[in-house]
């Protein structure tokens, strides 16, 4: 196991170091995998400064890694002011699956419900080619997220990708936007 870990870690480091060049900016603080030239640099900076989410340790943020359901719950807890929510075991059957990746629509639905399920116009989702793939339970939440600029979709193909797993960079972006809109 240890040998496999070391081999994979060295391969990853070789890949990261191989991408460095003179025009590649210094990494963000303690994160050796977040650079000023990355599209998510500003939002990871804000999300980290706000204490919403953090790296994975050893100088790694892992921006392209998946966001888990547990990480999503932790960020909502961080937004709600730690200590202000009492713990209750609402998943006694184990269906929370904390280590499972969270889809974009599930993550948005959690934020939407935390925000009190505000009303929406119901007109923005038509802008996205794949809006029919949004689950019924998440439709209002996704509409709300688009109307409030939490998610913008993917300009390269006009999609919103509701079923896709949320990356850590995407989640940092959405979390920072959500925090700034709801606490301002």
């Amino acid at each position: 196991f240890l040998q496999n870990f070391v081999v994979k870690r060295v391969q990853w480091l070789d890949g990261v170091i191989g991408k460095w060049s003179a025009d590649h900016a210094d990494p963000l603080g303690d994160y050796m995998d977040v650079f000023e030239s990355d599209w998510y640099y500003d939002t990871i900076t804000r999300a980290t400064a706000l204490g919403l989410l953090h790296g994975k340790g050893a100088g790694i943020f892992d921006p392209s890694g998946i966001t888990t359901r547990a990480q999503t719950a932790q960020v909502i807890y961080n937004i709600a002011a730690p200590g202000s929510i009492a713990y209750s075991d609402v998943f006694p059957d184990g269906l929370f699956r904390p280590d499972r990746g969270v889809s974009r629509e599930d993550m948005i639905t959690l934020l939407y419900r935390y925000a009190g399920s505000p009303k929406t116009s119901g007109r923005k989702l038509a802008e996205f080619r794949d809006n029919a793939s949004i689950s019924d339970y998440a439709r209002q939440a996704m509409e709300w997220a688009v109307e409030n600029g939490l998610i913008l979709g993917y300009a390269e193909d006009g999609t919103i990708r509701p079923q896709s797993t949320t990356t850590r960079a995407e989640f940092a972006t959405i979390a920072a936007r959500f925090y700034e809109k709801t606490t301002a």
Side-chain angles (χ1 to χ4, degrees):
F1 174 78
L2 182 58
Q3 182 180 3
N4 187 39
F5 171 80
V6 170
V7 167
K8 289 199 180 287
R9 187 67 170 185
V10 168
Q11 289 171 343
W12 175 83
L13 281 171
D14 285 344
V16 170
I17 292 169
K19 293 177 187 174
W20 291 352
S21 65
D23 62 343
H24 208 68
D26 290 332
L28 167 64
D30 294 332
Y31 302 138
M32 61 183 162
D33 58 349
V34 178
F35 298 89
E36 286 185 44
S37 58
D38 295 325
W39 69 264
Y40 44 75
Y41 177 84
D42 289 337
T43 54
I44 288 176
T45 301
R46 286 198 320 269
T48 299
L50 292 168
L52 302 179
L53 67 159
H54 308 283
K56 294 180 125 181
I60 304 297
F61 185 84
D62 191 20
S64 60
I66 65 164
T67 301
T68 66
R69 295 164 61 95
Q71 291 167 346
T72 304
Q74 180 64 53
V75 168
I76 292 172
Y77 178 78
N78 293 346
I79 290 170
S84 66
I85 299 174
Y87 170 79
S88 67
D89 189 4
V90 295
F91 296 100
D93 58 359
L95 293 179
F96 181 63
R97 297 181 183 111
D99 295 327
R100 178 189 256 180
V102 68
S103 69
R104 289 168 56 82
E105 69 180 7
D106 284 350
M107 181 261 309
I108 289 298
T109 299
L110 289 169
L111 291 172
Y112 173 72
R113 290 177 181 165
Y114 172 75
S117 303
K119 299 276 187 227
T120 64
S121 72
R123 288 178 254 160
K124 291 283 191 180
L125 291 180
E127 298 172 10
F128 301 99
R129 292 179 342 148
D130 61 345
N131 77 74
S133 65
I134 299 170
S135 300
D136 288 340
Y137 71 86
R139 188 158 287 284
Q140 280 289 101
M142 293 294 280
E143 182 72 41
W144 165 81
V146 171
E147 284 180 6
N148 287 282
L150 299 181
I151 54 177
L152 307 176
Y154 297 89
E156 68 268 12
D157 63 1
T159 61
I160 200 164
R161 302 179 195 165
Q163 307 296 321
S164 294
T165 304
T166 309
T167 67
R168 288 177 48 81
E170 290 171 336
F171 188 50
T173 301
I174 292 164
R177 289 174 182 164
F178 177 81
Y179 181 84
E180 290 163 354
K181 289 183 181 294
T182 59
T183 61

